[in-house]
Amino acid sequence: MRKYVFKSLGKAVFWFFFLLLVGLLQLSIAFLYSLVFAKGVFNLEAFFIDGFFLFFCISTVCSISYEYFLENDHNGNKYSNFVIVLVVCSVVLFSMWMYTTMFANKNLDLSKRNPNFFITQMVILIVSCLLTFGLKTVIYYNQYIKELRRGNL
């Protein structure tokens, strides 16, 4: 069984880096464009103000939680399912609240907004990444267990 845990972790790591590569491609393209055409002027603050990272968090958390609840048989621990739903809802609600705050104060620069503005977005991003990585590992592990029960592995 330990072998399948490590296989699940390996597949989840690969999937997670692929998600980051595709999900943050817009950021990479904007950075390269600023190096080549804008003489090195890259404004990361604009990505925070426009809600790029918040949208990335909401889309990854919602898609992985949908996949988790679609693939899982839910016969396990009901408390862990409750915690997963609670974390998913809190990430989405905090992201919406943060984006609403940014939209309402669009004319202010980042330093005059909430002093914990950057930290709050980074916490949302980190929690989203940990949740998606953890749920994807569980999904892959459950797939291995199903295949073992069928006798295919």
Side-chain angles (χ1 to χ4, degrees), residues 38-51:
K39 298 180 176 106
V41 178
F42 179 69
N43 188 5
L44 186 61
E45 182 179 311
F47 281 94
F48 285 101
I49 292 171
D50 291 338

Side-chain angles (χ1 to χ4, degrees), residues 74-82:
H74 304 292
N75 293 332
N77 190 352
K78 292 179 181 161
Y79 296 112
S80 66
N81 289 335
F82 175 74

Side-chain angles (χ1 to χ4, degrees), residues 1 4-5 8 136-145:
M1 288 300 208
Y4 297 113
V5 171
S8 301
K136 196 63 176 180
T137 303
V138 170
I139 290 169
Y140 283 136
Y141 181 74
N142 286 339
Q143 287 175 351
Y144 281 125
I145 296 301

Side-chain angles (χ1 to χ4, degrees), residues 35-119:
L35 285 177
V36 174
F37 297 110
K39 298 180 176 106
V41 178
F42 179 69
N43 188 5
L44 186 61
E45 182 179 311
F47 281 94
F48 285 101
I49 292 171
D50 291 338
F52 172 78
F53 294 110
L54 296 176
F55 179 74
F56 177 72
C57 292
I58 288 174
S59 62
T60 56
V61 165
C62 289
S63 66
I64 196 66
S65 61
Y66 178 75
E67 183 179 353
Y68 173 75
F69 286 110
L70 190 67
E71 293 288 326
N72 201 2
D73 58 359
H74 304 292
N75 293 332
N77 190 352
K78 292 179 181 161
Y79 296 112
S80 66
N81 289 335
F82 175 74
V83 169
I84 290 169
V85 168
L86 185 68
V87 170
V88 168
C89 289
S90 64
V91 164
V92 171
L93 288 175
F94 277 122
S95 296
M96 287 182 195
W97 170 71
M98 202 63 177
Y99 185 72
T100 303
T101 302
M102 290 183 305
F103 185 75
N105 300 320
K106 194 100 169 151
N107 294 331
L108 296 175
D109 60 343
L110 194 59
S111 60
K112 293 181 182 174
R113 290 194 177 115
N114 186 357
N116 297 324
F117 184 80
F118 176 76
I119 295 170

